[in-house]
Amino acid sequence: MAGRTKKAQISVYLESDIMDMLAHYAAQRDQSMSLIAQAAIASFLSPDSAERQEAALARRLGQIDRRLARLERDLGISTEAFATFIRFWLATTPALPEPAAQAARAKLSERYAAYTTALGRRLAKGPQLRQEIVEDVSQLEGDGGRRS
């Protein structure tokens, strides 16, 4: 066994929960606790550990930034869809004469309850508007711009 150097021995005092975690981790990996501790110490003392941590943080911040961009896009789609609906509704719905308007107001709570129930079911299980838009655009592009 030429070229093998003798390792130095140290005594380290660990809290019992840290020792349990070390033993569990070593058993899972089928490695000695000494080898796991050596690797952990080497990683902690390596000059590039700060750079690795910074790179990991940069990756995580990049993921968060992309998620925020998607949320901003989805909110924009929702706002535009709602505004388009309101404009269309206001442009196409004539004002009701007063007796009909009173009857409509009387049905308001029943219709609103049905609307919120339907919205709740859609949010719980149905495809979301942003998914439908992507699917519609893909179908239009696949059909050469024709609607079926």
Side-chain angles (χ1 to χ4, degrees):
M1 290 190 229
R4 188 168 183 184
T5 60
K6 184 175 181 182
K7 294 183 178 182
Q9 181 179 357
I10 63 169
S11 294
V12 178
Y13 296 96
L14 299 175
E15 305 235 347
S16 63
D17 58 336
I18 301 292
M19 186 63 183
D20 292 341
M21 289 186 336
L22 176 60
H24 181 70
Y25 187 86
Q28 280 182 323
R29 302 292 186 284
D30 196 27
Q31 300 289 330
S32 69
M33 289 191 295
S34 179
L35 183 66
I36 302 295
Q38 180 178 326
I41 293 169
S43 175
F44 185 80
L45 296 175
S46 71
D48 65 338
S49 70
E51 293 170 6
R52 283 196 316 257
Q53 288 176 347
E54 185 178 340
L57 182 61
R59 280 192 307 275
R60 184 70 177 134
L61 286 174
Q63 290 172 348
I64 291 170
D65 184 53
R66 287 188 295 279
R67 287 180 182 165
L68 284 174
R70 280 194 302 269
L71 282 172
E72 185 177 1
R73 181 201 67 198
D74 292 349
L75 181 61
I77 290 171
S78 298
T79 302
E80 287 301 316
F82 184 65
T84 301
F85 170 77
I86 294 298
R87 284 188 192 115
F88 178 78
W89 183 79
L90 290 172
T92 59
T93 305
L96 296 173
E98 190 53 37
Q102 288 175 354
R105 279 191 288 276
K107 285 285 259 178
L108 172 66
S109 63
E110 180 184 328
R111 294 176 73 190
Y112 184 73
Y115 165 75
T116 55
T117 301
L119 179 61
R121 277 194 309 269
R122 169 132 179 142
L123 290 174
K125 66 175 181 168
Q128 296 175 351
L129 175 65
R130 63 185 169 95
Q131 293 167 325
E132 290 179 357
I133 291 172
V134 171
E135 291 167 2
D136 287 348
V137 169
S138 297
Q139 287 175 353
L140 284 174
E141 289 173 352
D143 293 344
R146 294 171 297 183
R147 279 217 159 223
S148 48

